[in-house]
Amino acid sequence: MSKPIRYLIVDDEILSQRNLSQAITEQSYWQPLGTASSVPQAREILTQDLPDVIFLDIQMPRESGLSLARELMGRETPPLIVFVTAFDEHAIEAFRLHALDYLLKPINDVHLRQAIDRAEQMLHFQQQAHLAQSLREMFQDEYKNDEPSTEPSKAFWEHISIRSIGRIDRVAVKDIVWVEAQGNYVLLHLRDGRMMYRASMSQLEKHLAPHAFIRTHRSILVRTHEISSLQVLADHSYEAVLKNQVRLPISERHLAKVKQALSQPQ
């Protein structure tokens, strides 16, 4: 790296602070800006200087780390944020989909190394603005208070931010024709190409407007108005024929719902 990467640790657990700081200082070009045990203390530090990266605990006394993250996302050039959390898999789902990264306590050395690598790549290619927009959308859609809401979000995504090495691409949901599950990823079939996105089908589906997309198969999600017709095959199974002539299987489990959706006026 041409210049040191300055970082701030915000965590109310002193032992967690020390362990994280010790692990990061092994990177010779990472420079500590300080540590804070609360959001107010972090604000005091941030009035003096702004780090490149903040390792931010979520659940802290009096004020959640999410409130500080919201404030930082309002800046023109916010720092990169790596969330540090003891939340379980369900609670950190939104962070996996949107944030630069997250570290689950107790922090795993491999995961920390991955977070450091992503931060370095993002800073090198100067993609902070795209990441900031992604986080702003996360806060607008997912979080109304300082803690993750237990109620399902009523705002559906209009864009998806897709990370790859050294860049972030913003994909408009309206350009997705159909989605194919591939393990821990989904393959987005767009009007002008394809892109892999790190999320399960069920994770993605709950953020898409239900009237706009429909399952035809456990591994396939289709934009409803892209289906032009249903085709009965020789074995009495069905296929959905899309406007672009792509044919997709329809499982017996989803057949009735697909037929009902197609009977509705577009």
Side-chain angles (χ1 to χ4, degrees):
M1 302 294 291
S2 59
K3 66 176 184 177
I5 296 176
R6 299 177 304 162
Y7 68 93
L8 172 67
I9 296 175
V10 184
D11 194 324
D12 65 307
E13 298 179 6
I14 302 302
L15 181 60
S16 179
Q17 279 187 17
R18 291 174 180 170
N19 291 341
L20 184 55
S21 181
Q22 183 177 356
I24 298 173
T25 51
E26 294 179 2
Q27 314 302 316
S28 59
Y29 40 82
W30 281 67
Q31 183 180 89
L33 186 60
T35 58
S37 300
S38 66
V39 170
Q41 187 178 357
R43 286 195 185 99
E44 291 181 12
I45 296 174
L46 294 170
T47 58
Q48 304 298 321
D49 206 349
L50 190 66
D52 300 301
V53 183
I54 295 182
F55 293 87
L56 181 61
D57 191 10
I58 295 169
Q59 200 169 28
M60 290 184 286
R62 293 196 301 165
E63 193 171 1
S64 165
L66 291 175
S67 61
L68 179 61
R70 288 194 197 95
E71 293 174 17
L72 294 172
M73 287 306 104
R75 302 191 181 197
E76 184 176 351
T77 307
L80 299 178
I81 295 178
V82 176
F83 288 111
V84 181
T85 177
F87 290 171
D88 61 17
E89 186 74 9
H90 176 74
I92 61 177
E93 178 181 309
F95 305 137
R96 179 186 297 109
L97 297 180
H98 292 277
L100 172 68
D101 215 329
Y102 72 94
L103 297 173
L104 184 63
K105 296 179 181 181
I107 295 172
N108 178 286
D109 289 341
V110 173
H111 294 165
L112 175 60
R113 179 68 254 179
Q114 291 172 343
I116 288 173
D117 288 344
R118 290 191 184 104
E120 291 173 357
Q121 292 164 3
M122 207 62 60
L123 290 168
H124 178 69
F125 289 94
Q126 297 182 337
Q127 292 288 316
Q128 298 99 311
H130 293 291
L131 186 65
Q133 179 61 30
S134 175
L135 281 167
R136 289 188 190 104
E137 290 178 357
M138 179 188 79
F139 290 132
Q140 291 170 359
D141 295 346
E142 298 289 335
Y143 298 97
K144 307 304 180 184
N145 301 305
D146 285 343
E147 299 298 332
S149 173
T150 57
E151 298 296 326
S153 173
K154 296 182 180 179
F156 298 108
W157 289 351
E158 295 183 358
H159 293 85
I160 297 175
S161 296
I162 300 179
R163 294 192 305 257
S164 56
I165 296 178
R167 63 181 292 167
I168 291 179
D169 293 295
R170 276 171 57 80
V171 173
V173 170
K174 64 181 178 60
D175 291 332
I176 299 175
V177 177
W178 64 287
V179 183
E180 180 180 6
Q182 297 198 354
N184 293 327
Y185 289 78
V186 291
L187 180 60
L188 306 178
H189 294 261
L190 310 172
R191 301 191 191 282
D192 58 356
R194 300 186 300 176
M195 297 194 75
M196 293 291 290
Y197 181 47
R198 188 188 175 193
S200 69
M201 183 73 85
S202 59
Q203 288 171 342
L204 175 62
E205 186 178 15
K206 72 178 184 179
H207 294 293
L208 302 178
H211 67 273
F213 290 87
I214 190 169
R215 288 265 193 142
T216 65
H217 189 274
R218 65 181 178 85
S219 61
I220 295 175
L221 185 67
V222 185
R223 181 174 289 279
T224 307
H225 74 240
E226 290 292 334
I227 301 176
S228 62
S229 64
L230 302 184
Q231 183 73 42
V232 184
L233 304 181
D235 61 356
H236 302 293
S237 63
Y238 281 77
E239 283 185 337
V241 182
L242 307 190
K243 293 177 181 178
N244 60 7
Q245 301 307 306
V246 169
R247 292 172 173 263
L248 301 174
I250 303 176
S251 67
E252 184 175 350
R253 175 184 177 184
H254 297 285
L255 180 58
K257 184 177 289 187
V258 173
K259 286 183 175 180
Q260 180 181 10
L262 294 183
S263 68
Q264 303 297 319
Q266 298 291 322

